[in-house]
Amino acid sequence: RSTRSRIRVRGYKNQLKHTHVETQYGNVHCIMTRTLKANHPAILTFHDVGLNHKSCFETLFNHQDMHEIIRHFPVCHVEAPGQHEAAKTLHTYPTMDQLSEALPSVLKHFGVIGLGVGAGAYILARFALNHPDLVDGLVLININPSAEGLMDTFATKITGWTQTLPDTIIAHLTSVSNLQDEILTNHDLIATYRHHITTTMNQANVSQFFCSYNHRNALEVERPIPGGNINVRTLKCSTLLIVGDHSPAVDAVVDCNSKLNPTKTTLLKMADCGGLPQVDQPAKVIEAFKYFIQGMGYCNIIKGLCPPSSTVSSASMTRLRSRTTSSSSLMSLDGPRSRAHTNELQRSQISSHSNDEKRVRSHTDVSMDSISSVNQSVSKATEVAC
């Protein structure tokens, strides 16, 4: 039996409905802005380890720029079992695969645009792989599609022996190598999250969720090759990958981008940003989210979200890029794979000024204009520094 209560949160015009949904893998805490409607997309969020819907998404959804979106889309925040405030200790914990299979019980037959961070991004991606008919689009922040290797497992065990759980979680959310820099530059933010994990979260449940994430299976996605096998396992929906250029997940996100369908995937690297872009730079994330939604064609369905022209001009994307691009964001990765992606971006920026732009773009990564191009005949893979 579900329990319901209503509260009003500053920044939301609609009442939030809290519901515990029973699934075969345990109770899932859901927070909805309003009733979901059939044939009408909803935004489905899933948080990272050590966070819940408040600490992960409140800054983003309380931002004034987000109000335009949530006026048109109902929002359903999903919290992993035992991760809500004052949760009781769980004696067993579901795997990542099981958590993804719990989502159909929440959504029933409603289509969604998924917004996930870290572990939540992984869960939503697996959900989309197994239930492509229920997912219209995905915005995945800090996704890691791979399973932990032996060295990663060993490092996690050593960290567990030498650090407290809050410090381990903060290192996961920010960066192990730059943790001291994060503490110095974002002292208040780090202190807030440490306080949140220590005082409001059930640390036993957080530890179990973290362990489940560290034992995840690889998504085993594969990029379809034109002229080759086009029926490979991959995400079928439009996908926006977001990562800060100082995030510990930057290599994993770039690797994920290389494994997805280039005609449906956009990679957005945010300059001067750590592991929590939705908290550090919510306005930029929201702007990219708007273009992504418009590019999916929802502006033709929901009046008022898009400009009268029904498409967003290239100038809008150019302004976003010119305001936020930095050389560090383009060169923040090391290794052949990262340099290859950087070269693709540089080539695309050069080619965008040529007379053969349209012909070249179908074969190379291009600027972020493709997010907002609703009626474009050819989809493109995109990597852009923001």
Side-chain angles (χ1 to χ4, degrees), residues 138-344:
L138 287 174
V139 178
L140 306 176
I141 301 175
N142 298 339
I143 185 172
N144 189 339
S146 304
E148 275 209 336
L150 291 178
M151 292 302 295
D152 294 325
T153 302
F154 182 72
T156 299
K157 289 185 177 180
I158 295 297
T159 301
W161 295 337
T162 59
Q163 290 185 348
T164 64
L165 178 64
D167 286 339
T168 302
I169 296 299
I170 289 172
H172 162 76
L173 296 174
T174 55
S175 174
V176 175
S177 60
N178 295 322
L179 181 57
Q180 295 303 319
D181 292 338
E182 287 276 355
I183 292 175
L184 291 175
T185 58
N186 296 312
H187 179 270
D188 292 341
L189 181 63
I190 297 299
T192 297
Y193 279 103
R194 179 178 281 108
H195 176 78
H196 163 75
I197 297 168
T198 304
T199 61
T200 66
M201 301 285 288
N202 184 313
Q203 293 195 44
N205 293 343
V206 172
S207 179
Q208 290 187 82
F209 186 24
F210 194 33
C211 182
S212 181
Y213 177 64
N214 288 333
H215 287 83
R216 66 190 178 277
N217 296 316
L219 290 179
E220 296 180 346
V221 290
E222 184 179 348
R223 171 171 286 193
I225 301 175
N229 185 4
I230 61 174
N231 295 318
V232 295
R233 179 179 171 85
T234 190
L235 293 174
K236 305 296 184 183
C237 61
S238 298
T239 304
L240 172 61
L241 306 179
I242 299 178
V243 66
D245 62 354
H246 298 310
S247 168
V250 66
D251 285 338
V253 174
V254 171
D255 180 55
C256 183
N257 180 62
S258 70
K259 295 177 179 178
L260 296 180
N261 188 338
T263 67
K264 293 182 177 292
T265 307
T266 299
L267 171 60
L268 174 61
K269 280 192 290 185
M270 300 184 65
D272 304 319
C273 184
L276 296 166
Q278 79 281 7
V279 177
D280 292 340
Q281 301 181 21
K284 295 176 185 177
V285 173
I286 293 168
E287 190 168 5
F289 191 30
K290 285 182 180 179
Y291 294 143
F292 178 70
I293 292 174
Q294 292 164 3
M296 292 173 64
Y298 285 122
C299 55
N300 297 329
I301 300 173
I302 303 173
K303 297 180 180 179
L305 182 60
C306 294
S309 63
S310 80
T311 60
V312 180
S313 65
S314 299
S316 298
M317 295 310 306
T318 302
R319 285 196 297 271
L320 173 63
R321 186 167 60 253
S322 63
R323 284 201 308 270
T324 58
T325 300
S326 75
S327 58
S328 63
S329 68
L330 298 179
M331 306 300 294
S332 60
L333 302 179
D334 297 321
R337 182 183 69 241
S338 303
R339 286 194 296 271
H341 281 275
T342 299
N343 291 338
E344 288 175 353

Side-chain angles (χ1 to χ4, degrees), residues 8-72:
R8 186 172 294 276
V9 178
R10 179 176 59 84
Y12 286 84
K13 292 185 178 180
N14 301 299
Q15 289 183 325
L16 297 180
K17 180 172 62 178
H18 288 237
T19 305
H20 288 273
V21 178
E22 291 185 0
T23 75
Q24 58 180 323
Y25 303 114
N27 287 347
V28 176
H29 185 214
C30 301
I31 304 93
M32 301 181 186
T33 57
R34 58 179 181 268
T35 304
L36 301 180
K37 298 180 180 179
N39 301 320
H40 193 93
I43 297 173
L44 176 73
T45 76
F46 211 120
H47 58 87
D48 200 358
V49 173
L51 307 175
N52 53 32
H53 88 279
K54 286 185 179 180
S55 55
C56 192
F57 296 111
E58 191 172 60
T59 300
L60 187 72
F61 280 85
N62 277 344
H63 196 282
Q64 61 180 3
D65 293 345
M66 194 67 171
H67 296 171
E68 180 183 2
I69 296 177
I70 62 178
R71 279 203 307 268
H72 301 287

Side-chain angles (χ1 to χ4, degrees), residues 21 23-26 28 97-107:
V21 178
T23 75
Q24 58 180 323
Y25 303 114
V28 176
D97 294 359
Q98 290 172 337
L99 286 174
S100 70
E101 287 304 310
L103 293 180
S105 299
V106 175
L107 297 172

